[in-house]
Amino acid sequence: MTETKKITDMSDEEIKEEVRKAYTKVAQRTTSCCGPTSSGCEETYAEKLGYEITDLPNSVTESFAGCGNPVALASLQEGDVVLDLGSGAGLDAFMAAREVGPKGHVIGVDMTPEMIEKAKLNAEKLGAKNVEFRQGDIEALPVDDESIDVIISNCVINLAPDKSKVFIEAFRVLRPGGRMLISDIVLEATLSKEIRDQIASYTGCLGGAILKEEYLQFMRDAGFVDVRIVSEAPFNIATSTKIEARKPE
Ligand SMILES: C[S@@+](CC[C@H](N)C(=O)[O-])C[C@H]1O[C@@H](n2cnc3c(N)ncnc32)[C@H](O)[C@@H]1O
């Protein structure tokens, strides 16, 4: 019997391949129910996290895999250019697109081709003309320098093997004075080696999470200022945290 390789023995590229495989399956999901009952769907997972889903097709919500609602906190303005790191099937990008309006623009970046394909189909279904999805790695963003007003991200950076690179890239693409609003999983205490070794725990947004203070320090080291925790809630054995930061003028 072949032994499953441990995440802690993998290269960054091998880890990303495991993440891609896991989120290909999430992209193929066809239900968004949370606690399905015999009479159907009581509430979607997104609604459970506070999203007001009224007129979105299931294909937008069924692959949602966030751990918060960063758009709700982002105070987006009409005309803003927004970047969503790890945009999945596009829920946050579409929410942001409504707020920035036709003069604004939203770019979603994701490294899983099936997620990008689903998000593009969703954009077509919604007739969303101010949203585009680009396949790429958030550690090397396919986005121009200083071209973004607000960055959002929902439960993604924990999955990146090199979080420092993610924040350096985020800082590069933000215009001076631009803001970053993140929902992500962070840790209050170090995980056991057993949990960190497991592929499923990594792809499930736990094994790759780092200590909260280390996470905030990566942001400050990249150049962000006014780095602050907006709110926190227990999430499995970790914490779902909303973080706000700013690039200096
Ligand atoms: C937990 S899901 C969250 C998706 C979306 N933000 C949402 O709330 O539904 C993580 C997403 O991040 C993407 N992802 C993970 N690591 C990435 C990386 N290094 N670069 C780009 N996308 C990444 C995955 O493909 C997946 O779609």
Coordinates of all heavy atoms in Angstrom, one line a residue, residues 120-174:
K120 N -16.7 32.7 -14.8 CA -17.0 33.4 -16.1 C -18.4 33.1 -16.5 O -19.1 33.9 -17.0 CB -16.0 32.9 -17.1 CG -14.6 33.6 -16.9 CD -13.7 33.2 -18.0 CE -12.3 33.9 -17.9 NZ -11.3 33.5 -18.8
L121 N -18.8 31.8 -16.4 CA -20.2 31.4 -16.8 C -21.2 32.2 -15.9 O -22.3 32.7 -16.4 CB -20.4 29.9 -16.6 CG -19.8 29.0 -17.7 CD1 -20.0 27.6 -17.4 CD2 -20.6 29.3 -19.1
N122 N -20.9 32.3 -14.6 CA -21.8 33.0 -13.7 C -21.9 34.5 -14.2 O -23.0 35.1 -14.1 CB -21.3 32.9 -12.3 CG -21.7 31.6 -11.7 OD1 -22.7 30.9 -12.1 ND2 -20.9 31.1 -10.7
A123 N -20.8 35.1 -14.6 CA -20.8 36.5 -15.0 C -21.7 36.7 -16.2 O -22.5 37.6 -16.3 CB -19.4 37.0 -15.3
E124 N -21.6 35.7 -17.1 CA -22.5 35.7 -18.3 C -24.0 35.6 -17.9 O -24.8 36.4 -18.4 CB -22.2 34.5 -19.2 CG -21.2 34.9 -20.3 CD -20.8 33.6 -21.1 OE1 -21.7 32.9 -21.5 OE2 -19.6 33.4 -21.3
K125 N -24.3 34.6 -17.0 CA -25.6 34.5 -16.6 C -26.2 35.7 -16.0 O -27.4 36.1 -16.1 CB -25.7 33.4 -15.5 CG -25.8 32.0 -15.9 CD -26.1 31.1 -14.7 CE -25.8 29.6 -15.1 NZ -25.8 28.8 -13.9
L126 N -25.3 36.4 -15.2 CA -25.8 37.6 -14.5 C -25.7 38.9 -15.3 O -26.2 39.9 -14.9 CB -24.9 37.9 -13.2 CG -25.1 36.8 -12.1 CD1 -24.0 37.0 -11.1 CD2 -26.5 37.0 -11.4
G127 N -25.1 38.7 -16.5 CA -24.9 39.9 -17.4 C -24.0 40.9 -16.7 O -24.2 42.1 -16.9
A128 N -23.1 40.5 -15.9 CA -22.2 41.4 -15.1 C -21.1 41.8 -16.1 O -20.2 41.1 -16.4 CB -21.7 40.7 -13.9
K129 N -21.2 43.1 -16.5 CA -20.2 43.6 -17.5 C -19.0 44.2 -16.8 O -17.9 44.4 -17.4 CB -20.8 44.7 -18.3 CG -22.1 44.2 -19.1 CD -21.8 44.0 -20.6 CE -23.0 43.6 -21.4 NZ -23.4 42.2 -21.1
N130 N -19.1 44.5 -15.5 CA -18.0 45.2 -14.8 C -17.1 44.2 -14.0 O -16.5 44.6 -13.0 CB -18.5 46.3 -13.9 CG -19.5 45.8 -12.9 OD1 -20.0 44.7 -13.0 ND2 -19.8 46.7 -11.9
V131 N -17.2 42.9 -14.3 CA -16.4 41.9 -13.6 C -15.6 41.1 -14.6 O -16.1 40.7 -15.6 CB -17.3 40.9 -12.8 CG1 -16.5 40.0 -11.9 CG2 -18.4 41.7 -12.0
E132 N -14.4 40.8 -14.2 CA -13.6 39.9 -15.1 C -12.9 38.9 -14.2 O -12.6 39.2 -13.0 CB -12.6 40.6 -16.0 CG -11.5 41.3 -15.2 CD -10.4 41.8 -16.1 OE1 -9.8 41.0 -16.8 OE2 -10.1 43.0 -16.0
F133 N -12.6 37.7 -14.7 CA -11.9 36.7 -13.9 C -10.6 36.3 -14.6 O -10.6 36.0 -15.8 CB -12.8 35.5 -13.6 CG -14.0 35.8 -12.8 CD1 -15.2 36.1 -13.3 CD2 -13.9 35.9 -11.4 CE1 -16.3 36.5 -12.5 CE2 -14.9 36.3 -10.6 CZ -16.1 36.6 -11.1
R134 N -9.5 36.3 -13.8 CA -8.2 36.0 -14.4 C -7.6 34.8 -13.7 O -7.6 34.8 -12.4 CB -7.2 37.1 -14.2 CG -7.7 38.4 -14.9 CD -6.6 39.5 -14.7 NE -7.2 40.8 -15.2 CZ -6.6 41.9 -15.1 NH1 -5.4 42.0 -14.5 NH2 -7.1 43.0 -15.6
Q135 N -7.2 33.8 -14.5 CA -6.5 32.6 -13.8 C -5.1 33.0 -13.4 O -4.4 33.6 -14.2 CB -6.5 31.4 -14.7 CG -6.1 30.2 -14.0 CD -6.0 29.0 -14.9 OE1 -6.6 28.9 -15.9 NE2 -5.1 28.1 -14.5
G136 N -4.8 32.8 -12.2 CA -3.4 33.2 -11.7 C -3.2 32.9 -10.3 O -4.2 32.5 -9.6
D137 N -2.0 33.1 -9.8 CA -1.6 32.7 -8.5 C -1.5 34.0 -7.7 O -0.9 35.0 -8.1 CB -0.2 32.1 -8.6 CG 0.3 31.5 -7.3 OD1 -0.2 31.9 -6.2 OD2 1.2 30.6 -7.3
I138 N -2.1 34.0 -6.5 CA -2.1 35.3 -5.7 C -0.7 35.5 -5.1 O -0.4 36.6 -4.6 CB -3.1 35.2 -4.5 CG1 -2.9 34.1 -3.6 CG2 -4.5 35.2 -5.1 CD1 -3.7 34.1 -2.3
E139 N 0.3 34.6 -5.3 CA 1.7 34.9 -4.9 C 2.4 35.6 -6.1 O 3.5 36.0 -5.9 CB 2.4 33.5 -4.6 CG 1.9 32.9 -3.3 CD 2.6 31.6 -3.0 OE1 3.6 31.3 -3.6 OE2 2.1 30.9 -2.1
A140 N 1.8 35.7 -7.2 CA 2.4 36.4 -8.4 C 1.2 36.9 -9.2 O 0.9 36.4 -10.3 CB 3.2 35.4 -9.2
L141 N 0.6 38.0 -8.7 CA -0.7 38.4 -9.3 C -0.6 38.9 -10.7 O 0.3 39.7 -11.1 CB -1.2 39.6 -8.4 CG -1.9 39.2 -7.1 CD1 -2.1 40.4 -6.2 CD2 -3.2 38.4 -7.3
P142 N -1.5 38.5 -11.6 CA -1.6 39.0 -13.0 C -2.3 40.3 -13.0 O -3.3 40.5 -13.7 CB -2.4 37.9 -13.7 CG -3.3 37.3 -12.6 CD -2.6 37.5 -11.3
V143 N -1.8 41.3 -12.3 CA -2.4 42.6 -12.1 C -1.3 43.7 -12.1 O -0.3 43.5 -11.5 CB -3.2 42.6 -10.8 CG1 -3.9 44.0 -10.5 CG2 -4.3 41.5 -10.7
D144 N -1.7 44.8 -12.7 CA -0.7 45.9 -12.8 C -0.4 46.6 -11.5 O -1.3 46.6 -10.6 CB -1.2 47.0 -13.8 CG -1.2 46.6 -15.2 OD1 -0.5 45.6 -15.5 OD2 -2.0 47.2 -16.0
D145 N 0.8 47.2 -11.4 CA 1.2 48.0 -10.2 C 0.1 49.1 -9.9 O -0.3 49.7 -10.9 CB 2.5 48.7 -10.4 CG 3.7 47.7 -10.5 OD1 3.5 46.5 -10.3 OD2 4.8 48.2 -10.7
E146 N -0.1 49.3 -8.7 CA -0.9 50.5 -8.2 C -2.2 50.7 -9.1 O -2.5 51.9 -9.4 CB 0.0 51.8 -8.3 CG 1.2 51.6 -7.4 CD 1.9 52.9 -7.1 OE1 1.7 53.9 -7.7 OE2 2.8 52.8 -6.2
S147 N -2.9 49.6 -9.4 CA -4.1 49.8 -10.3 C -5.4 49.5 -9.5 O -6.5 49.6 -10.1 CB -4.0 48.8 -11.4 OG -3.8 47.5 -11.0
I148 N -5.3 49.2 -8.2 CA -6.5 48.7 -7.5 C -6.8 49.6 -6.3 O -5.9 50.0 -5.5 CB -6.2 47.3 -6.9 CG1 -5.8 46.3 -8.0 CG2 -7.4 46.7 -6.1 CD1 -6.9 46.0 -9.0
D149 N -8.1 49.9 -6.1 CA -8.5 50.7 -4.9 C -8.7 49.9 -3.7 O -8.3 50.3 -2.6 CB -9.8 51.5 -5.2 CG -9.7 52.4 -6.4 OD1 -8.8 53.3 -6.3 OD2 -10.5 52.3 -7.4
V150 N -9.4 48.7 -3.8 CA -9.7 47.9 -2.7 C -9.4 46.4 -3.0 O -9.9 46.0 -4.0 CB -11.2 48.1 -2.2 CG1 -11.4 47.3 -1.0 CG2 -11.5 49.6 -2.0
I151 N -8.7 45.8 -2.1 CA -8.5 44.3 -2.3 C -9.4 43.6 -1.2 O -9.5 44.0 -0.1 CB -7.1 43.9 -2.0 CG1 -6.2 44.5 -3.1 CG2 -6.9 42.4 -2.0 CD1 -4.7 44.1 -3.0
I152 N -10.2 42.6 -1.7 CA -10.9 41.8 -0.8 C -10.4 40.3 -0.9 O -9.8 40.0 -2.0 CB -12.4 41.8 -1.0 CG1 -12.7 41.4 -2.5 CG2 -13.0 43.2 -0.7 CD1 -14.2 41.2 -2.8
S153 N -10.6 39.5 0.1 CA -10.2 38.1 0.0 C -11.0 37.3 1.1 O -11.1 37.8 2.2 CB -8.7 37.9 0.2 OG -8.4 36.6 -0.1
N154 N -11.5 36.1 0.7 CA -12.4 35.4 1.6 C -11.9 33.9 1.7 O -12.1 33.1 0.9 CB -13.8 35.4 1.1 CG -14.8 35.1 2.1 OD1 -14.5 34.6 3.2 ND2 -16.1 35.2 1.8
C155 N -11.1 33.7 2.8 CA -10.7 32.3 3.2 C -9.8 31.7 2.1 O -10.0 30.6 1.7 CB -11.9 31.4 3.3 SG -11.7 30.4 4.8
V156 N -8.8 32.5 1.7 CA -7.9 32.0 0.7 C -6.4 32.1 1.1 O -5.6 31.1 0.8 CB -8.1 32.9 -0.6 CG1 -7.1 32.5 -1.7 CG2 -9.5 32.8 -1.1
I157 N -6.0 33.1 1.8 CA -4.6 33.3 2.0 C -4.0 32.2 2.9 O -2.9 31.8 2.8 CB -4.3 34.7 2.6 CG1 -4.8 35.8 1.6 CG2 -2.8 35.0 2.9 CD1 -4.8 37.2 2.1
N158 N -4.9 31.6 3.8 CA -4.4 30.5 4.6 C -3.9 29.3 3.7 O -3.1 28.5 4.1 CB -5.5 30.0 5.6 CG -6.6 29.3 4.8 OD1 -6.5 28.1 4.5 ND2 -7.7 30.0 4.6
L159 N -4.4 29.3 2.4 CA -4.1 28.2 1.5 C -2.8 28.4 0.8 O -2.2 27.5 0.1 CB -5.2 28.0 0.5 CG -6.5 27.5 1.1 CD1 -7.6 27.6 0.0 CD2 -6.4 26.0 1.5
A160 N -2.3 29.6 0.9 CA -1.0 30.0 0.1 C 0.2 29.5 0.9 O 0.3 29.9 2.1 CB -1.0 31.5 -0.2
P161 N 1.1 28.8 0.3 CA 2.3 28.3 1.0 C 3.2 29.5 1.4 O 3.8 29.4 2.5 CB 3.0 27.4 0.1 CG 2.0 27.0 -0.9 CD 1.0 28.1 -1.0
D162 N 3.2 30.5 0.6 CA 4.1 31.7 0.9 C 3.3 32.9 1.2 O 3.0 33.7 0.2 CB 5.1 31.9 -0.2 CG 6.2 32.8 0.2 OD1 6.0 33.7 1.2 OD2 7.3 32.8 -0.3
K163 N 2.8 33.1 2.4 CA 1.9 34.2 2.7 C 2.6 35.6 2.6 O 2.0 36.6 2.2 CB 1.3 34.0 4.1 CG 0.3 32.8 4.1 CD 0.1 32.3 5.4 CE -0.8 31.1 5.5 NZ -0.3 29.9 4.7
S164 N 3.9 35.6 2.8 CA 4.6 36.8 2.7 C 4.5 37.4 1.3 O 4.3 38.5 1.0 CB 6.1 36.6 3.1 OG 6.9 37.6 2.7
K165 N 4.7 36.4 0.3 CA 4.6 36.8 -1.1 C 3.3 37.4 -1.4 O 3.1 38.4 -2.2 CB 4.9 35.6 -2.0 CG 6.3 35.4 -2.4 CD 6.3 34.3 -3.5 CE 7.7 33.8 -3.7 NZ 7.7 32.5 -4.5
V166 N 2.2 36.8 -0.9 CA 0.8 37.3 -1.1 C 0.7 38.7 -0.7 O 0.2 39.6 -1.5 CB -0.2 36.4 -0.4 CG1 -1.6 37.0 -0.6 CG2 -0.2 35.0 -0.9
F167 N 1.2 39.1 0.5 CA 1.0 40.5 1.0 C 1.9 41.4 0.2 O 1.5 42.6 0.0 CB 1.2 40.5 2.5 CG 0.2 39.8 3.2 CD1 0.5 38.7 4.1 CD2 -1.2 40.2 3.1 CE1 -0.6 38.0 4.7 CE2 -2.2 39.5 3.8 CZ -1.9 38.4 4.6
I168 N 3.1 41.0 -0.2 CA 4.0 41.8 -1.0 C 3.3 42.2 -2.4 O 3.3 43.3 -2.8 CB 5.4 41.2 -1.2 CG1 6.1 41.2 0.1 CG2 6.2 41.9 -2.3 CD1 7.4 40.3 0.2
E169 N 2.7 41.1 -2.9 CA 2.0 41.3 -4.2 C 0.7 42.2 -4.0 O 0.5 43.1 -4.9 CB 1.5 40.0 -4.8 CG 2.6 39.3 -5.5 CD 3.0 40.0 -6.8 OE1 3.8 40.9 -6.7 OE2 2.3 39.7 -7.8
A170 N 0.0 42.0 -2.9 CA -1.2 42.8 -2.7 C -0.8 44.3 -2.6 O -1.4 45.2 -3.1 CB -1.9 42.3 -1.4
F171 N 0.3 44.5 -1.9 CA 0.8 45.9 -1.6 C 1.2 46.5 -3.0 O 0.9 47.7 -3.3 CB 2.0 45.9 -0.7 CG 2.4 47.2 -0.2 CD1 1.8 47.8 0.9 CD2 3.4 47.9 -0.8 CE1 2.1 49.0 1.4 CE2 3.8 49.2 -0.3 CZ 3.2 49.7 0.8
R172 N 1.9 45.7 -3.8 CA 2.3 46.2 -5.1 C 1.1 46.7 -6.0 O 1.2 47.8 -6.6 CB 3.1 45.1 -5.9 CG 3.4 45.5 -7.3 CD 4.1 44.3 -8.0 NE 3.3 43.2 -8.3 CZ 2.4 43.1 -9.3 NH1 2.2 44.1 -10.1 NH2 1.7 42.0 -9.5
V173 N 0.0 45.9 -6.0 CA -1.0 46.3 -6.9 C -2.0 47.4 -6.4 O -2.7 48.0 -7.2 CB -1.8 45.0 -7.4 CG1 -0.9 44.0 -8.0 CG2 -2.6 44.4 -6.2
L174 N -1.9 47.6 -5.1 CA -2.8 48.6 -4.5 C -2.3 50.0 -4.9 O -1.1 50.3 -4.8 CB -2.9 48.5 -3.0 CG -4.0 47.7 -2.3 CD1 -3.9 47.9 -0.8 CD2 -5.4 48.1 -2.8

